[in-house]
Amino acid sequence: MKAAFVSLLVALLAGCADLPRDPDRTSEHIAASRSVRIGLVPGDTRFAAAARTRFLKSLTAATTARPVFVSGSTETLLQQLERGELDLVLTPLDPDSPWVTRVTPGPPLADKGTGERRVQYHAVMRNGENRWIMTVEKASRASADPGADT
């Protein structure tokens, strides 16, 4: 009886080895191509430049993939992200934007202002790509605190 329980437990744990998963295989694509497709808005806020640089360094270290940049408007880039044409978009994102429910903003990389004038700069990912979201969130936290583990 005990051996059957142990065997069942081992089988269940083996099935969890791939969790969290990316249904659209974002992490696998990045590992295979060794590149991360990143959308950037031209002329976006300068207040986030240092945070963006720290984040990209942390993300590159975590993935060993080189960034490939695509520029465009926030709306266009977020549409490309939703279609899987981009892996990530770096942009200021209003917390009241309808996009907040359609994509997954990571922790703020930088912010300025207060109240209704507060602007936060995020790394934004596709909804549901949980392994990739965890990787980006970890890189975001590490870049927000330069002394944090990557």
Tab-separated table of all heavy atoms in Angstrom, residues 3 14 27 29 31 55 58 63 72 76 84 98 104 106 108 113 129 135 142 146 150:
chain	number	residue	atom	x	y	z
A	3	ALA	N	3.975	1.526	-0.988
A	3	ALA	CA	4.699	1.604	-2.259
A	3	ALA	C	3.805	2.170	-3.356
A	3	ALA	O	4.253	2.958	-4.192
A	3	ALA	CB	5.235	0.241	-2.661
A	14	ALA	N	5.913	14.313	-11.082
A	14	ALA	CA	6.552	14.348	-12.408
A	14	ALA	C	5.693	15.118	-13.396
A	14	ALA	O	6.209	15.832	-14.256
A	14	ALA	CB	6.809	12.934	-12.909
A	27	SER	N	8.169	30.922	-23.860
A	27	SER	CA	9.500	30.617	-23.299
A	27	SER	C	10.287	29.676	-24.205
A	27	SER	O	11.494	29.860	-24.385
A	27	SER	CB	9.362	30.008	-21.902
A	27	SER	OG	8.799	30.939	-21.012
A	29	HIS	N	9.962	29.365	-27.482
A	29	HIS	CA	10.359	30.125	-28.673
A	29	HIS	C	11.599	30.976	-28.367
A	29	HIS	O	12.539	31.019	-29.166
A	29	HIS	CB	9.209	31.006	-29.146
A	29	HIS	CG	9.617	32.076	-30.103
A	29	HIS	ND1	10.181	31.805	-31.324
A	29	HIS	CD2	9.571	33.418	-29.999
A	29	HIS	CE1	10.469	32.939	-31.935
A	29	HIS	NE2	10.101	33.924	-31.146
A	31	ALA	N	13.865	30.464	-26.017
A	31	ALA	CA	15.026	29.586	-25.830
A	31	ALA	C	15.550	29.072	-27.163
A	31	ALA	O	16.765	29.027	-27.386
A	31	ALA	CB	14.652	28.427	-24.912
A	55	PHE	N	16.455	46.530	-16.416
A	55	PHE	CA	15.540	45.422	-16.685
A	55	PHE	C	16.061	44.566	-17.834
A	55	PHE	O	16.081	43.336	-17.745
A	55	PHE	CB	14.137	45.948	-17.011
A	55	PHE	CG	13.242	44.889	-17.572
A	55	PHE	CD1	12.712	43.903	-16.759
A	55	PHE	CD2	12.959	44.841	-18.929
A	55	PHE	CE1	11.906	42.902	-17.272
A	55	PHE	CE2	12.150	43.855	-19.456
A	55	PHE	CZ	11.625	42.882	-18.626
A	58	SER	N	18.899	42.409	-16.754
A	58	SER	CA	18.420	41.309	-15.924
A	58	SER	C	17.710	40.240	-16.766
A	58	SER	O	17.920	39.041	-16.587
A	58	SER	CB	17.476	41.865	-14.847
A	58	SER	OG	16.989	40.841	-14.039
A	63	THR	N	17.489	34.876	-19.503
A	63	THR	CA	17.072	34.097	-20.673
A	63	THR	C	18.227	33.707	-21.589
A	63	THR	O	18.046	32.835	-22.442
A	63	THR	CB	16.069	34.897	-21.529
A	63	THR	OG1	16.703	36.092	-22.004
A	63	THR	CG2	14.822	35.241	-20.732
A	72	GLY	N	6.927	51.193	-32.474
A	72	GLY	CA	5.576	51.493	-32.923
A	72	GLY	C	4.807	52.199	-31.833
A	72	GLY	O	5.342	52.477	-30.755
A	76	THR	N	-0.510	49.711	-31.341
A	76	THR	CA	-0.044	48.768	-32.367
A	76	THR	C	0.805	47.662	-31.741
A	76	THR	O	0.636	46.484	-32.058
A	76	THR	CB	0.757	49.507	-33.452
A	76	THR	OG1	-0.093	50.471	-34.058
A	76	THR	CG2	1.293	48.556	-34.500
A	84	GLY	N	0.855	37.387	-30.641
A	84	GLY	CA	2.037	36.546	-30.494
A	84	GLY	C	3.185	36.956	-31.393
A	84	GLY	O	4.154	36.218	-31.526
A	98	PRO	N	-8.083	49.961	-20.942
A	98	PRO	CA	-8.751	48.682	-21.203
A	98	PRO	C	-7.754	47.553	-21.501
A	98	PRO	O	-8.093	46.383	-21.381
A	98	PRO	CB	-9.646	48.973	-22.407
A	98	PRO	CG	-9.210	50.279	-22.951
A	98	PRO	CD	-8.448	50.990	-21.889
A	104	THR	N	-0.843	41.297	-19.596
A	104	THR	CA	-0.358	41.201	-18.219
A	104	THR	C	0.779	42.179	-17.999
A	104	THR	O	1.893	41.946	-18.462
A	104	THR	CB	0.122	39.771	-17.910
A	104	THR	OG1	-0.955	38.864	-18.139
A	104	THR	CG2	0.607	39.655	-16.479
A	106	GLY	N	3.728	43.679	-15.958
A	106	GLY	CA	4.584	43.270	-14.853
A	106	GLY	C	4.641	44.375	-13.807
A	106	GLY	O	4.015	45.428	-13.971
A	108	PRO	N	5.751	47.636	-11.877
A	108	PRO	CA	6.287	48.860	-12.484
A	108	PRO	C	7.822	48.866	-12.447
A	108	PRO	O	8.417	48.554	-11.426
A	108	PRO	CB	5.724	49.984	-11.620
A	108	PRO	CG	4.664	49.375	-10.788
A	108	PRO	CD	4.901	47.899	-10.745
A	113	GLY	N	5.408	61.114	-10.732
A	113	GLY	CA	4.157	61.813	-10.479
A	113	GLY	C	3.374	61.173	-9.348
A	113	GLY	O	3.762	60.156	-8.782
A	129	GLU	N	0.652	33.229	-20.583
A	129	GLU	CA	1.998	32.674	-20.788
A	129	GLU	C	2.729	32.684	-19.437
A	129	GLU	O	3.663	33.449	-19.202
A	129	GLU	CB	2.754	33.480	-21.842
A	129	GLU	CG	2.138	33.401	-23.222
A	129	GLU	CD	2.114	31.977	-23.760
A	129	GLU	OE1	3.162	31.483	-24.210
A	129	GLU	OE2	1.040	31.347	-23.715
A	135	THR	N	9.164	34.702	-15.455
A	135	THR	CA	10.537	35.113	-15.797
A	135	THR	C	10.637	36.625	-15.860
A	135	THR	O	11.570	37.229	-15.302
A	135	THR	CB	10.951	34.498	-17.155
A	135	THR	OG1	10.893	33.068	-17.053
A	135	THR	CG2	12.339	34.938	-17.574
A	142	ALA	N	14.138	42.215	-9.884
A	142	ALA	CA	15.597	42.321	-9.729
A	142	ALA	C	16.108	43.659	-10.248
A	142	ALA	O	17.030	44.237	-9.679
A	142	ALA	CB	16.284	41.175	-10.472
A	146	PRO	N	18.498	46.790	-7.665
A	146	PRO	CA	19.715	46.292	-8.295
A	146	PRO	C	20.476	45.257	-7.469
A	146	PRO	O	21.248	44.490	-7.999
A	146	PRO	CB	20.555	47.550	-8.537
A	146	PRO	CG	19.560	48.650	-8.592
A	146	PRO	CD	18.460	48.251	-7.647
A	150	THR	N	18.877	37.666	-9.532
A	150	THR	CA	18.269	37.560	-10.857
A	150	THR	C	17.860	36.152	-11.130
A	150	THR	O	18.235	35.225	-10.487
A	150	THR	CB	19.233	38.043	-11.957
A	150	THR	OG1	20.447	37.313	-11.847
A	150	THR	CG2	19.459	39.520	-11.847
